[in-house]
Amino acid sequence: MNHLDNLSEIDAANVVRCARTLLRRPLLRSDGPDGELLGLVYRHRATLQDLFAGLLGYRLVVERRFARLYKSGPGEDDTRGVLGMSPRGYAYLALTLAVLTGTGRQTLLSRLVADIRSAAVEAGIGAPDDVTERRALTSALRHLVSLGVLHETEGSVAQDLLPQEALITIDTDLLGQLVTGPVGEAHSPAHLVELAARPGPRGVEHAVRRKLVETPLVLYADLPDDQAEWLRRNQRKETALLEQAFGLHTECRVEGVLAADPEEFLTDLSFPGVSTVARITLLALPELLDGEEEVAPARHVVTTDRIREVCAGLVEDYPAAWSKQFTDDLDRLVAEVTELLRRMGLAVRTDEGAWSISAAAHRWLPSPDGDPEREQPEPVVVREVPSWSLFDEENVS
């Protein structure tokens, strides 16, 4: 199954570029990020639609103004959400979409907020007018602005919805394309999440391939038996397929498969990184993996106390290397380190409250540049007198 065989080298490269862009931006608009590629997507729409339907079971809608790739839902996996969007923010996002379906093309911000709060009450959701709630509602509205569904025609959606008016224009065409889950088929929120995460028409094949494309690390131990068996049997073929269709490079190990984008365009969460949390997480890995008990294939269990101990040691050893907001709040640092490992697919919480760390973390084991700063002696500079010169020959009589 190769959707690029009948294309010229240039057209094939353009299709791959468009496919990668749609994976990164499932709602691609002419006036949004990477919008200059929409014309190319429209030109190759038939090939792209066949490619996504065949390989991943995804539906692709392409219009002159936008393209919408209907991905599967993440199911119970909450690591694929919008960074910075809290569960409360998602609740307001759903309420806002429900309200917008009957709003028309323009509305005042104050009216929209009032309608959202009324919808919350009608749905049995408490919506007090406090700072936390206003921030959650603001994040939902700002997200819709970033998607192009809402336009700030006059004024803006300010932080915490401070008392100022704004005229909001709704792009009803994009609004109609936003929701991917089969809302009409679901009889409860949990059922909607389940339906949205259903595998594609080819069952196991689509389910596994979606995991490879959408998540950085797929462990055999985390897959159902039929999916693990299929991936082991088709490992080499899938490696070539993902590289040719989406430019992904895979690393195949006994424990599972890691898919990486060498250009980091498809990477929404980089690791290692330059932040304090990312660097401490990287430096903590050797101690967290060293000597820990292996309780299941490819996993090691580490207690939260052990993680805290390692992080505290790094803060003490390299005091000048970290942001003060973390060195002054060790609990916050530990929480963010474990959250980064979890979002990277490198750690999961156990029933006992400990953390099960994947053996795949060994690929990132670092070597510090030097000893801890507190132990570094003052450098001694010794000037050496050269014992030989290129010009010595000239001085020989």
Side-chain angles (χ1 to χ4, degrees):
M1 175 177 52
N2 193 329
H3 301 270
L4 307 177
D5 280 346
N6 297 326
L7 300 178
S8 68
E9 185 175 342
I10 293 178
D11 283 343
N14 284 333
V15 167
V16 172
R17 183 184 180 195
C18 291
R20 286 166 54 80
T21 301
L22 289 167
L23 284 175
R24 183 72 178 88
R25 308 194 188 283
L27 182 57
L28 183 66
R29 339 186 295 274
S30 57
D31 61 343
D34 296 308
E36 69 278 3
L37 287 182
L38 186 58
L40 200 59
V41 171
Y42 189 85
R43 175 186 171 188
H44 294 289
R45 61 190 182 279
T47 301
L48 287 164
Q49 287 167 339
D50 289 344
L51 183 145
F52 280 114
L55 296 185
L56 300 172
Y58 289 166
R59 181 167 65 96
L60 174 64
V61 174
V62 183
E63 303 288 348
R64 290 287 187 183
R65 292 180 51 244
F66 64 86
R68 177 63 163 121
L69 179 64
Y70 284 84
K71 294 185 178 184
S72 63
E76 299 298 326
D77 180 10
D78 64 345
T79 64
R80 281 174 52 190
V82 178
L83 290 175
M85 180 82 75
S86 66
R88 196 66 176 173
Y90 273 106
Y92 276 117
L93 181 60
L95 290 168
T96 304
L97 294 177
V99 167
L100 289 176
T101 57
T103 298
R105 287 198 170 269
Q106 281 192 329
T107 185
L108 293 174
L109 177 60
S110 58
R111 174 63 182 274
L112 177 59
V113 170
D115 289 345
I116 292 170
R117 288 181 172 145
S118 296
V121 172
E122 185 179 345
I125 301 173
D129 186 13
D130 57 29
V131 173
T132 301
E133 293 295 312
R134 288 198 298 271
R135 286 177 177 171
L137 178 51
T138 300
S139 67
L141 295 176
R142 296 302 312 169
H143 183 56
L144 291 175
V145 170
S146 71
L147 293 176
V149 175
L150 299 183
H151 292 271
E152 299 160 307
T153 305
E154 293 182 16
S156 63
V157 181
Q159 181 67 25
D160 297 342
L161 296 178
L162 296 174
Q164 64 179 38
E165 194 58 277
L167 178 64
I168 305 297
T169 301
I170 300 107
D171 190 323
T172 54
D173 293 333
L174 288 183
L175 177 64
Q177 299 286 342
L178 204 57
V179 177
T180 63
V183 178
E185 300 177 32
H187 51 69
S188 70
H191 190 218
L192 176 59
V193 171
E194 179 184 347
L195 292 177
R198 287 180 296 188
R202 292 178 181 163
V204 170
E205 177 183 335
H206 281 162
V208 176
R209 201 174 285 139
R210 288 174 180 179
K211 287 186 174 74
L212 292 171
V213 170
E214 299 290 350
T215 59
L217 178 65
V218 177
L219 297 176
Y220 292 121
D222 296 338
L223 295 176
D225 291 342
D226 57 342
Q227 295 185 15
E229 180 185 355
W230 184 90
L231 181 55
R232 284 192 178 97
R233 192 171 61 248
N234 295 279
Q235 192 180 87
R236 290 190 176 183
K237 183 187 74 173
E238 290 303 303
T239 295
L241 188 62
L242 294 180
E243 182 170 357
Q244 185 176 35
F246 304 116
L248 294 175
H249 290 183
T250 59
E251 294 181 15
C252 302
R253 298 289 186 268
V254 174
E255 300 86 1
V257 178
L258 181 143
D261 178 16
E263 297 180 8
E264 297 189 355
F265 176 74
L266 296 177
T267 304
D268 56 351
L269 183 62
S270 297
F271 185 75
V274 297
S275 69
T276 289
V277 171
R279 287 182 292 144
I280 286 184
T281 303
L282 181 67
L283 291 173
L285 286 178
E287 293 192 59
L288 295 180
L289 292 170
D290 183 29
E292 296 298 338
E293 178 187 2
E294 185 171 325
V295 297
R299 290 205 176 276
H300 300 265
V301 168
V302 181
T303 65
T304 302
D305 288 341
R306 175 58 177 158
I307 297 175
R308 181 184 179 88
E309 178 186 344
V310 172
C311 289
L314 289 168
V315 169
E316 183 180 358
D317 287 345
Y318 304 93
W322 319 121
S323 170
K324 193 170 178 58
Q325 63 177 322
F326 293 107
T327 58
D328 291 345
D329 189 347
L330 190 57
D331 289 336
R332 178 184 174 186
L333 175 61
V334 172
E336 296 213 18
V337 165
T338 52
E339 177 64 10
L340 177 57
L341 289 171
R342 190 183 74 88
R343 293 187 70 88
M344 284 295 300
L346 296 176
V348 293
R349 198 73 181 258
T350 67
D351 294 337
E352 294 76 21
W355 289 92
S356 178
I357 300 181
S358 167
H362 281 282
R363 78 187 299 274
W364 285 286
L365 293 186
S367 296
D369 291 337
D371 295 328
E373 292 179 8
R374 59 178 180 169
E375 298 177 2
Q376 289 181 353
E378 289 294 325
V380 177
V381 179
V382 179
R383 296 185 178 274
E384 295 185 359
V385 178
S387 59
W388 178 83
S389 168
L390 289 175
F391 302 99
D392 282 351
E393 290 286 340
E394 297 181 6
N395 298 326
V396 177
S397 55

